[in-house]
Amino acid sequence: MKFIFFFLLLVISHYTASSQLNVIESRIVNPDQKPIEYATVILQDSQVKYIDGTITDSTGYFIIKHLPAGNYRLIIQHLLYESDTLYIQANMQIQPVITLIPRQYTLNEVQVSAEGPMMKVSGNMLSYNAHSIEKNKAITTAYEMLKEIPGIFEINNQLSLIGSEKLNIVINGQMTKMTIEQVSNMLKTIPSSNIANIEVMYNPPAKYNVRGALINIVLNKRTDEQPSVTGEVSASYKQSVYASNVDRINLVYNNSKFKVDFSATVNTGKSWDKNKSYSRHSLKDKIVKINEFINSRNNYLDIDFRTEAAYTFNKNSELIFSYFLNKEKKNGKSFATNDYTDINQYSLNSLNHTKDNRQLHNAYIQYSNRKFNIGAEYTFYKNPTDQHYTDEKDHQINKNYINNSDQKISKWSVFVNHGLTFSSKLKLNYGINAGYNLSDTKVRYLFRQNDDYIEAGDLNLDGSQKEYTATPFIEASCRFNKKLSASISLKTEYFKSIYTDNGIRHTLWNDWSLFPNLSVTYILNPRDTCQFNITSDKYYPSFWAINPQTTELNSYSEVVGNPELSPYKMYRGQFMYIRNRKYIFMGFIQYAPDYFSQLPHMSADEIKTIYRFENYDYLLRMGIAVILNVKQGKFFSSNITLQGINSREKIDDFYGYSFNHTSLSGVVNLNNSFNLTEYLLLQVNGHFQSAARQGVYKLGEIWKLSGRVKWTITKSLSFLVNYDNILCHQRPRPVKLEYSNQYKLTRFYERSSVEFTLIWRLKNHKQSKYHQVDDSRLSR
């Protein structure tokens, strides 16, 4: 009996010990006694060696079995709670409920920054985010932003795109017949803050009907349910030799369906130009040496106005109407002194007083949906000019006349495009662009005789030019797989031009042309892309270039029209490798038979230098280019453009002479930004172009350096200081005319300028919400 009792006592003692140490079980809860799920429970021995572990279930319960005797520590962890550690010894009872304290998260200020891609590649288009460009640059207008796009730079107030001889610019994809100079004036009225993206296309879609490369400026789109108004007002003062002022205003009204954009710019001031040249003019029996000094002054008033209204029917359907007005007045005087030396020495002093008035009106309407794009454009240009020219020899009037000229140009164009989507991989677009242009030119000469001016009827010009164009096209875009895509188009152009000169009518051009274009894009990986383009176009001379008018610049130089000038075709090939979406490596070739350019020629019959547009036999240009983006933290960033060009120009018959020369030139362009402080930005831009040949010219080097400081006073107010043309060397120095027995050396004088600009931005002014009166029980 005693044995049985002893045996039962031993079993009960063993069971009690097992319940205390061989098995660990408990519940984990928070201070509100709610179970904590997925808490981690780790068991270690006294040497911090892992023994066992588990996690709590949905009720907060856990259990660890088969625990040998000894000393342990139990660690309980959860992401949202403070950790807890229990030390367990032999014969120690573990608590049935364990409470964890919530963890208090107090984070220091964290600023996350990352360097995004410089561009996005979509088919044959390079897209740049305007906001990323603006925040690191001291810029104010759309025109200034374009100069910050890698590969785009400005020389002599002309924008150019690396790898392309001709550049076109449109806004929101709106096709236009305006020239690049006219569009550039429009861009100077648009604040840079209004731009969303800038799209660069070396081979633009056929529907745009443009010649050369294309830049599409995409403005911001807002979808505010409540009406809002944003805007910008700026005032600039510029001081060079003379002062000038630029005042600009922009207002944008938005709601979910309707948008109105209004911009206006007034630019007034006085410009200055000065140059001197030395010439050796060969006549049949002698050589005359001429020293020429020219000083020019211009008072000007330039007004630009632009408005655009857009109504969105749905996400795929939109109606756009825009209107642009440019009015420019110039009142200029050019003083020239020409010293002639042959057997004798004498001087001719000339005064060229010109009053120039220009008006441009452009109206555009377009409706687009998912499949159709239809629209029309009308452009009217008027340019009356009054020239009063006099020159004298030995204080005696040698020539005195008035030249009144007026040119009116009207352009109408319509277009319709239709797109078909056969699948996600194949799209087809076809359509037609048609236009009619009318140019009327009138020139009257009045020569001074005694005390009166007598009209010289034999020199008068009454001419008109009518042009008819039609360009049907078809374009196919195919995506073969995730990496390879291609676009091929075929344009057929009909162009007819009829010129009437003082009642005599003749046809300038009447022909059909065929233009194939091809783009192939291959995506090596998400960040590296290859692109190959083949394009072809045809270029026509301006209306003024073919008018048989003579305009005297001074007693030694004159500009003459060329009615025999022919259009030329341009064929291009281009390969581009884009590395890491911010480095571009490019090779290109351009071939243009019958290329034309304005060239000077020293007459063999009289002491005159004649400037006239002439056709080449051909122009062949090849080049390579590299565009790099360098960044050093938040403090420094730079865009670097390097370009090397090999040009060959050939004319077999140029006034009895010929030239066939090859020239090498290089270009370096740097845009550097320094974030001095959070509110202070310094921008230093530089441009270098080596000596080159252009037609009969030998052009010297170009060195251009400018600096700009932007002070962000508040989010709405900023102040800019711009120091331009620091080196006074942004024009080629020297400019030399040298071939056969012709020689002329010209030097242009330059001055730097300082400009101060104050900008105030109106941010998201929304319409007030008024108290609504409850009238539900007042009506009958």
Side-chain angles (χ1 to χ4, degrees):
M1 190 67 181
K2 291 181 179 180
F3 175 77
I4 295 173
F5 177 77
F6 178 76
F7 177 76
L8 292 175
L9 182 60
L10 182 62
V11 171
I12 293 172
S13 299
H14 177 76
Y15 175 78
T16 303
S18 298
S19 65
Q20 292 178 353
L21 292 177
N22 285 355
V23 177
I24 299 177
E25 58 181 336
S26 183
R27 289 181 66 246
I28 310 298
V29 298
N30 62 18
D32 297 330
Q33 300 303 304
K34 293 183 179 180
I36 299 176
E37 188 177 5
Y38 299 119
T40 301
V41 181
I42 301 173
L43 185 70
Q44 298 175 340
D45 62 13
S46 57
Q47 303 301 318
V48 198
K49 181 181 178 180
Y50 175 81
I51 302 298
D52 202 352
T54 185
I55 59 175
T56 58
D57 60 16
S58 60
T59 64
Y61 174 78
F62 75 92
I63 182 172
I64 299 177
K65 300 180 180 180
H66 311 297
L67 182 66
N71 297 325
Y72 304 94
R73 68 175 188 171
L74 192 69
I75 303 174
I76 304 170
Q77 297 175 332
H78 193 280
L79 183 63
L80 300 179
Y81 297 88
E82 299 288 348
S83 299
D84 195 5
T85 301
L86 302 177
Y87 293 91
I88 303 172
Q89 299 177 356
N91 302 323
M92 180 179 177
Q93 181 69 41
I94 187 173
Q95 58 196 70
V97 177
I98 301 174
T99 302
L100 297 184
I101 305 301
R103 180 172 294 177
Q104 301 294 330
Y105 286 95
T106 303
L107 299 180
N108 294 328
E109 182 180 355
V110 177
Q111 184 175 1
V112 180
S113 61
E115 181 181 356
M118 189 69 189
M119 73 187 75
K120 293 182 180 179
V121 182
S122 178
N124 63 343
M125 178 181 70
L126 309 181
S127 180
Y128 296 85
N129 181 272
H131 176 70
S132 300
I133 297 173
E134 186 192 25
K135 70 178 182 180
N136 294 320
K137 302 292 181 180
I139 55 179
T140 60
T141 66
Y143 184 85
E144 292 174 350
M145 178 173 285
L146 282 184
K147 294 189 291 183
E148 301 301 329
I149 299 296
I152 299 178
F153 46 86
E154 180 192 42
I155 294 295
N156 294 331
N157 297 319
Q158 294 285 332
L159 293 176
S160 62
L161 175 65
I162 194 168
S164 178
E165 87 296 340
K166 183 173 176 59
L167 180 61
N168 301 274
I169 304 174
V170 298
I171 299 174
N172 284 337
Q174 300 174 21
M175 293 171 279
T176 181
K177 294 295 183 182
M178 291 194 295
T179 65
I180 183 66
E181 293 81 9
Q182 293 164 352
V183 176
S184 296
N185 287 335
M186 183 191 303
L187 296 179
K188 293 174 183 178
T189 70
I190 300 176
S192 56
S193 58
N194 282 12
I195 303 175
N197 295 295
I198 295 178
E199 300 170 347
V200 179
M201 291 164 274
Y202 283 91
N203 186 9
K207 67 178 183 179
Y208 288 109
N209 193 33
V210 296
R211 296 173 171 86
L214 175 69
I215 294 178
N216 181 30
I217 298 178
V218 183
L219 301 181
N220 292 320
K221 289 187 176 180
R222 300 178 60 87
T223 56
D224 295 345
E225 293 298 330
Q226 294 294 327
S228 65
V229 176
T230 58
E232 181 174 304
V233 179
S234 67
S236 299
Y237 173 81
K238 185 176 182 179
Q239 181 64 55
S240 184
V241 176
Y242 299 107
S244 62
N245 299 278
V246 180
D247 300 309
R248 185 182 300 112
I249 183 172
N250 171 255
L251 293 174
V252 181
Y253 170 83
N254 279 283
N255 61 28
S256 59
K257 293 286 186 179
F258 188 61
K259 174 185 176 181
V260 178
D261 190 334
F262 165 83
S263 300
T265 300
V266 178
N267 185 1
T268 182
K270 188 174 183 179
S271 63
W272 168 89
D273 193 20
K274 180 180 179 181
N275 67 79
K276 69 176 182 179
S277 63
Y278 168 75
S279 304
R280 291 196 298 265
H281 194 115
S282 298
L283 295 175
K284 294 179 180 180
D285 56 348
K286 61 181 177 180
I287 294 178
V288 181
K289 298 178 181 179
I290 302 107
N291 286 302
E292 191 173 9
F293 304 89
I294 300 176
N295 277 280
S296 299
R297 308 287 186 272
N298 265 300
N299 293 306
Y300 62 87
L301 171 64
D302 194 354
I303 300 174
D304 295 292
F305 169 84
R306 178 182 179 271
T307 185
E308 178 181 291
Y311 184 81
T312 303
F313 298 95
N314 52 58
K315 64 179 182 179
N316 298 316
S317 180
E318 186 179 42
L319 179 65
I320 296 176
F321 173 79
S322 65
Y323 171 74
F324 176 69
L325 167 67
N326 170 252
K327 296 189 69 174
E328 184 176 359
K329 291 184 177 182
K330 288 185 178 179
N331 188 345
K333 292 183 179 181
S334 178
F335 304 88
T337 299
N338 295 311
D339 296 327
Y340 299 85
T341 304
D342 45 19
I343 298 176
N344 300 312
Q345 184 172 350
Y346 61 94
S347 296
L348 284 175
N349 297 317
S350 63
L351 170 62
N352 201 345
H353 186 189
T354 304
K355 293 182 179 180
D356 192 48
N357 292 278
R358 301 180 185 180
Q359 289 187 40
L360 172 72
H361 302 264
N362 178 267
Y364 182 93
I365 187 169
Q366 174 182 299
Y367 171 77
S368 59
N369 58 27
R370 183 176 297 179
K371 295 183 178 181
F372 277 97
N373 186 18
I374 185 171
E377 181 184 17
Y378 173 70
T379 301
F380 176 76
Y381 177 77
K382 180 178 174 64
N383 182 203
T385 302
D386 297 326
Q387 178 194 20
H388 188 187
Y389 176 84
T390 59
D391 64 36
E392 60 180 28
K393 180 181 180 181
D394 298 330
H395 304 288
Q396 298 293 322
I397 298 296
N398 185 55
K399 188 180 293 186
N400 186 339
Y401 71 86
I402 295 175
N403 175 5
N404 297 321
S405 64
D406 189 10
Q407 184 180 51
K408 297 178 181 178
I409 300 174
S410 297
K411 294 183 178 182
W412 291 267
S413 64
V414 294
F415 58 89
V416 57
N417 307 322
H418 182 226
L420 296 174
T421 302
F422 296 100
S423 66
S424 60
K425 296 184 177 182
L426 181 61
K427 296 180 180 180
L428 185 69
N429 189 29
Y430 62 93
I432 187 171
N433 298 273
Y436 171 72
N437 302 331
L438 173 62
S439 171
D440 286 321
T441 304
K442 290 181 172 57
V443 180
R444 298 290 181 266
Y445 287 91
L446 301 171
F447 284 85
R448 182 70 177 263
Q449 293 184 7
N450 298 322
D451 295 329
D452 200 3
Y453 285 91
I454 306 300
E455 184 171 341
D458 57 331
L459 296 178
N460 290 344
L461 171 66
D462 192 351
S464 67
Q465 184 174 346
K466 296 180 180 179
E467 295 179 348
Y468 307 87
T469 62
T471 309
F473 68 89
I474 185 169
E475 183 175 45
S477 301
C478 181
R479 180 174 294 278
F480 299 97
N481 50 49
K482 291 183 179 180
K483 292 189 174 183
L484 181 62
S485 63
S487 173
I488 184 170
S489 67
L490 187 64
K491 292 193 300 183
T492 302
E493 181 188 69
Y494 171 71
F495 193 98
K496 183 177 181 179
S497 180
I498 300 173
Y499 186 77
T500 303
D501 180 8
N502 293 325
I504 302 175
R505 185 176 183 269
H506 62 278
T507 300
L508 291 175
W509 312 296
N510 185 12
D511 56 0
W512 290 85
S513 300
L514 195 64
F515 304 110
N517 296 278
L518 172 68
S519 287
V520 179
T521 302
Y522 184 76
I523 301 176
L524 301 172
N525 55 60
R527 303 188 71 85
D528 299 339
T529 304
C530 291
Q531 188 179 107
F532 175 70
N533 296 309
I534 295 178
T535 61
S536 57
D537 290 304
K538 192 172 185 179
Y539 296 90
Y540 295 87
S542 67
F543 295 107
W544 270 118
I546 62 174
N547 280 326
Q549 180 190 5
T550 298
T551 303
E552 290 192 85
L553 303 177
N554 54 63
S555 62
Y556 181 57
S557 302
E558 62 185 23
V559 178
V560 178
N562 183 3
E564 305 300 323
L565 196 62
S566 300
Y568 70 88
K569 291 184 179 180
M570 174 68 77
Y571 303 94
R572 310 178 197 85
Q574 180 193 72
F575 177 78
M576 185 163 49
Y577 170 57
I578 303 172
R579 171 66 177 168
N580 205 27
R581 289 195 281 183
K582 63 179 181 178
Y583 306 117
I584 299 178
F585 303 88
M586 179 191 302
F588 60 89
I589 183 170
Q590 302 164 356
Y591 175 68
D594 297 323
Y595 180 82
F596 58 74
S597 178
Q598 190 181 61
L599 300 177
H601 168 69
M602 295 181 178
S603 174
D605 301 321
E606 59 178 336
I607 306 177
K608 285 284 186 182
T609 297
I610 301 170
Y611 293 85
R612 198 173 84 147
F613 278 89
E614 307 289 350
N615 284 109
Y616 291 22
D617 289 352
Y618 67 83
L619 166 70
L620 177 62
R621 184 178 292 142
M622 297 177 287
I624 57 174
V626 179
I627 301 174
L628 306 173
N629 177 254
V630 179
K631 191 172 184 179
Q632 185 64 42
K634 297 179 182 180
F635 174 71
F636 172 74
S637 64
S638 178
N639 292 327
I640 305 172
T641 300
L642 308 174
Q643 183 180 21
I645 303 174
N646 183 341
S647 295
R648 183 175 182 180
E649 299 166 298
K650 184 176 184 295
I651 296 182
D652 276 340
D653 185 9
F654 183 64
Y655 296 95
Y657 305 98
S658 66
F659 62 81
N660 182 3
H661 53 242
T662 300
S663 64
L664 295 172
S665 61
V667 175
V668 179
N669 195 76
L670 301 175
N671 289 355
N672 306 301
S673 296
F674 303 86
N675 289 300
L676 303 179
T677 68
E678 183 180 357
Y679 305 102
L680 203 60
L681 173 70
L682 170 65
Q683 190 169 341
V684 180
N685 296 337
H687 180 91
F688 167 76
Q689 183 170 313
S690 68
R693 293 209 64 158
Q694 182 178 319
V696 295
Y697 287 111
K698 289 184 177 179
L699 304 178
E701 297 175 347
I702 293 176
W703 293 87
K704 184 177 180 181
L705 182 65
S706 64
R708 177 174 289 194
V709 176
K710 181 181 180 181
W711 175 28
T712 304
I713 303 172
T714 67
K715 290 183 178 180
S716 301
L717 191 64
S718 56
F719 181 71
L720 289 85
V721 179
N722 184 51
Y723 187 12
D724 195 25
N725 199 12
I726 298 174
L727 303 177
C728 295
H729 199 340
Q730 64 184 18
R731 300 176 73 172
R733 186 186 301 169
V735 176
K736 186 185 296 184
L737 167 63
E738 186 175 26
Y739 73 98
S740 187
N741 62 348
Q742 312 246 329
Y743 181 85
K744 182 175 184 177
L745 183 66
T746 303
R747 161 73 184 273
F748 293 94
Y749 291 85
E750 301 179 64
R751 293 291 184 269
S752 56
S753 63
V754 180
E755 184 177 13
F756 305 92
T757 304
L758 185 65
I759 303 174
W760 176 68
R761 291 179 177 176
L762 175 64
K763 295 284 188 177
N764 298 332
H765 176 73
K766 296 187 177 182
Q767 191 177 45
S768 301
K769 294 183 178 180
Y770 298 100
H771 172 68
Q772 298 294 321
V773 179
D774 183 5
D775 60 354
S776 60
R777 299 181 63 194
L778 301 182
S779 60
R780 293 186 181 181

